[in-house]
Amino acid sequence: MEEIQEKNLNNDTITKLGQVVETILGKDKATFTLRDKTSGEILYTYRGEHLMRPASNMKILTGAAAISELGLEYRFKTEVFIDGNVEDHTLNGDIYVKGYGDPTIVEATLRHFAEVLREYGIHHVNGKLIGDDTYFSGKTLPPGVDDEGETHYYGARISPITMSPNDDFDASTIIVEATAGNIGEKPMFNVIPHLSGLHISNEGKTVDKNAENTLEIRRINNTNQIVITGELPEGETAKVWVSHQNPTKNTLLFFKELCKDAGICFEQENVIASGTTPKHAKLIHTHESCPIAEMFSIFMKLSNNSIADIFLKTMGKQKHGIGDYEHGLKVVRAYLEKLQIDFTTCQFADGSGLSHQNRLHSNGISELLYKLQKEPYFQNFYESLPVGGNINRLVGGTLKDRFLEPELQQRIFAKTGYIHEVNTLSGYVTGKSGRDYIFSIMLEGREEGIPFLDEGLKVIIEIV
């Protein structure tokens, strides 16, 4: 049943907003709340308390809680220990890498770790390379990830020891690029930064340039095997982010290769293992990430699932001593209660919004967006939101190809969301009148919901 509160909007405007819901968004498919940005008053709400899947609008909650409870200056660390004596440049013992969830570790970081070991005087290792990933607990696979999602970047496993292929910080992934060869030949492929213990079976084929591109690159579920299949037309390329099967092990396998590049040789063949760092082990290096303030924009603008769940598990560990989903979500709920926002009927399953078990309502999301304006970290939060129609991907983010009309420039700052048959958009908007609003729209039950959502918001902007 529709709920409408009329404050500062005339009857004609209220009627027009109702028509947007009925004719564009869909009465049985939408929730929508519009607030005054300054006062926070609800000006219009349609099914504002109706629970729906938020998709990546869940990151509004997780992200706000993270920068409040962990702090903008929080840095993730990674420690390197040795357990044994170094004699004649040989470590008679083990190397331990203890991770705390840093999503910003890239090839250069691991290469520096290897250089630190070399500078310490280690040229040979008569022992193992052990990953201590005990900082997080519970399942590594995010809740709700299906068999297909398990192999893709958006469903990557969450580990305290991980690496990213580039500065987008899609943790626990590698990039596989395929390039067409001559007709009839297999495509060529390149891996960024390294296979890291994964293996590729290339069953693809280069075909005529006018043929359909059917190339697929994916990891077989619960294995280290990547398969390239299908056809790639001449002159074309394909680029896919593939998730690690075991982030800790895959990261350390790459680290071992970088140690070799640095002139460090492991005497044994199978040296990669998992374990807990002994208390007597010697700490020889601590790496710290950039502060959350610097990675937060990448997280929000590019809607990074891995960072969301790393934030969540880190909050659980910091506040309750247990780095899992359950205790991280307790921190999020406590944060919302502190702001006196009623999410008691809502359901939380993860930090990213990937799970179909999450349930939020537009009244609550819009109220959080209003109250965030009074928090000392609001500017960081606001600047992290995708900007409608800004084609610079590090500004426009997930909205860089939407709301491209000149008259809409610099008017929409909002977080997107998508999972199967769900599209959401919540944030700040300036109406045609020049007045500023907070809005939250969630759609369910459409295979392609973006055209309805975007058209609805464009009309709303014209109305208000």
Side-chain angles (χ1 to χ4, degrees):
M1 182 175 179
E2 184 174 351
E3 302 172 287
I4 296 177
Q5 296 182 26
E6 182 181 348
K7 294 184 178 181
N8 300 323
L9 293 182
N10 59 41
N11 289 334
D12 182 55
T13 301
I14 292 289
T15 299
K16 289 179 179 178
L17 290 173
Q19 290 171 348
V20 171
V21 171
E22 186 166 348
T23 63
I24 302 176
L25 299 179
K27 292 186 70 172
D28 61 337
K29 300 180 184 299
T31 69
F32 168 41
T33 301
L34 185 71
R35 292 179 184 266
D36 181 86
K37 184 172 181 285
T38 302
S39 69
E41 292 180 341
I42 293 179
L43 304 175
Y44 180 96
T45 177
Y46 175 77
R47 299 203 303 177
E49 298 290 334
H50 181 73
L51 295 178
M52 295 181 72
R53 292 169 286 176
S56 284
N57 271 201
M58 183 69 194
K59 292 185 178 76
I60 295 173
L61 281 64
T62 307
I67 54 179
S68 169
E69 304 307 296
L70 295 176
L72 287 166
E73 296 306 313
Y74 183 88
R75 297 172 186 262
F76 295 89
K77 66 179 179 178
T78 304
E79 298 171 329
V80 181
F81 295 82
I82 59 171
D83 182 25
N85 297 319
V86 179
E87 297 178 3
D88 296 328
H89 299 296
T90 297
L91 170 63
N92 294 301
D94 302 320
I95 298 171
Y96 284 84
V97 177
K98 183 173 176 60
Y100 295 83
D102 184 357
T104 70
I105 289 178
V106 293
E107 178 179 353
T109 318
L110 296 174
R111 194 174 292 279
H112 180 64
F113 290 178
E115 291 168 355
V116 167
L117 291 170
R118 177 77 181 187
E119 290 171 2
Y120 194 78
I122 298 173
H123 299 177
H124 302 274
V125 180
N126 187 18
K128 292 187 177 296
L129 177 56
I130 301 173
D132 183 344
D133 57 7
T134 56
Y135 191 71
F136 293 161
S137 55
K139 295 180 178 180
T140 59
L141 198 64
V145 175
D146 57 17
D147 285 346
E148 180 178 355
E150 186 263 334
T151 73
H152 291 278
Y153 73 97
Y154 59 80
R157 295 176 184 272
I158 306 302
S159 170
I161 299 175
T162 186
M163 54 175 272
S164 299
N166 58 27
D167 289 345
D168 285 358
F169 305 137
D170 290 302
S172 302
T173 69
I174 60 172
I175 298 172
V176 180
E177 298 176 321
T179 305
N182 295 321
I183 293 178
E185 295 180 348
K186 294 180 179 181
M188 298 168 286
F189 66 85
N190 178 48
V191 178
I192 302 171
H194 191 267
L195 268 172
S196 309
L198 301 175
H199 309 280
I200 290 184
S201 174
N202 187 358
E203 301 171 9
K205 183 179 179 181
T206 301
V207 294
D208 184 83
K209 64 181 180 180
N210 296 315
E212 182 183 359
N213 185 343
T214 62
L215 196 80
E216 185 178 58
I217 304 171
R218 71 183 306 270
R219 180 170 57 79
I220 299 173
N221 291 84
N222 296 309
T223 74
N224 283 309
Q225 187 66 45
I226 299 171
V227 179
I228 300 176
T229 57
E231 298 179 339
L232 186 63
E234 273 189 306
E236 294 195 22
T237 61
K239 184 177 182 180
V240 175
W241 278 251
V242 179
S243 69
H244 284 156
Q245 163 62 15
N246 183 327
T248 297
K249 183 176 181 180
N250 294 132
T251 301
L252 291 184
L253 282 166
F254 182 37
F255 180 40
K256 181 190 172 189
E257 291 297 314
L258 295 175
C259 285
K260 181 180 178 181
D261 290 348
I264 300 171
C265 175
F266 286 84
E267 303 295 340
Q268 303 173 33
E269 184 64 29
N270 298 314
V271 300
I272 307 300
S274 294
T276 303
T277 307
K279 290 184 178 179
H280 61 262
K282 183 176 182 180
L283 176 65
I284 63 169
H285 181 64
T286 299
H287 169 78
E288 289 190 340
S289 72
C290 62
I292 283 180
E294 292 183 22
M295 68 180 79
F296 197 77
S297 184
I298 290 288
F299 158 60
M300 289 287 278
K301 287 186 183 293
L302 303 184
S303 202
N304 188 304
N305 287 354
S306 296
I307 293 179
D309 285 340
I310 285 171
F311 281 168
L312 191 72
K313 287 195 169 191
T314 302
M315 285 189 284
K317 185 70 173 182
Q318 289 286 307
K319 299 295 182 179
H320 298 289
I322 303 176
D324 62 9
Y325 284 95
E326 178 185 356
H327 290 84
L329 290 170
K330 282 185 178 180
V331 179
V332 175
R333 282 197 180 274
Y335 166 73
L336 296 170
E337 289 172 5
K338 183 169 64 176
L339 292 183
Q340 298 182 321
I341 304 173
D342 186 8
F343 277 100
T344 53
T345 62
C346 297
Q347 301 171 28
F348 299 164
D350 62 17
S352 70
L354 181 63
S355 173
H356 285 264
Q357 300 304 310
N358 292 301
R359 294 291 187 277
L360 302 180
H361 48 66
S362 58
N363 279 1
I365 294 173
S366 59
E367 184 178 3
L368 174 58
L369 291 170
Y370 167 68
K371 290 192 172 180
L372 281 175
Q373 296 176 103
K374 301 177 182 178
E375 299 300 317
Y377 44 81
F378 173 69
Q379 195 61 31
N380 294 81
F381 177 88
Y382 183 75
E383 291 175 357
S384 77
L385 293 171
V387 181
N390 191 311
I391 60 174
N392 181 337
R393 67 188 293 270
L394 296 182
V395 179
T398 51
L399 285 179
K400 69 181 181 64
D401 299 319
R402 297 163 62 180
F403 307 107
L404 294 169
E405 296 87 341
E407 65 272 17
L408 296 177
Q409 298 301 300
Q410 295 299 119
R411 295 175 75 169
I412 302 166
F413 296 76
K415 183 70 197 74
T416 57
Y418 168 75
I419 52 178
H420 182 61
E421 292 192 345
V422 175
N423 288 97
T424 58
L425 190 64
S426 300
Y428 307 90
V429 65
T430 301
K432 187 176 181 180
S433 65
R435 183 175 173 183
D436 292 327
Y437 300 90
I438 295 168
F439 73 96
S440 178
I441 305 173
M442 295 192 280
L443 303 183
E444 283 188 349
R446 294 190 190 275
E447 187 70 29
E448 297 290 338
I450 287 178
F452 297 94
L453 197 160
D454 289 5
E455 182 60 27
L457 183 58
K458 289 175 186 178
V459 176
I460 290 166
I461 290 172
E462 284 294 311
I463 292 172
V464 299

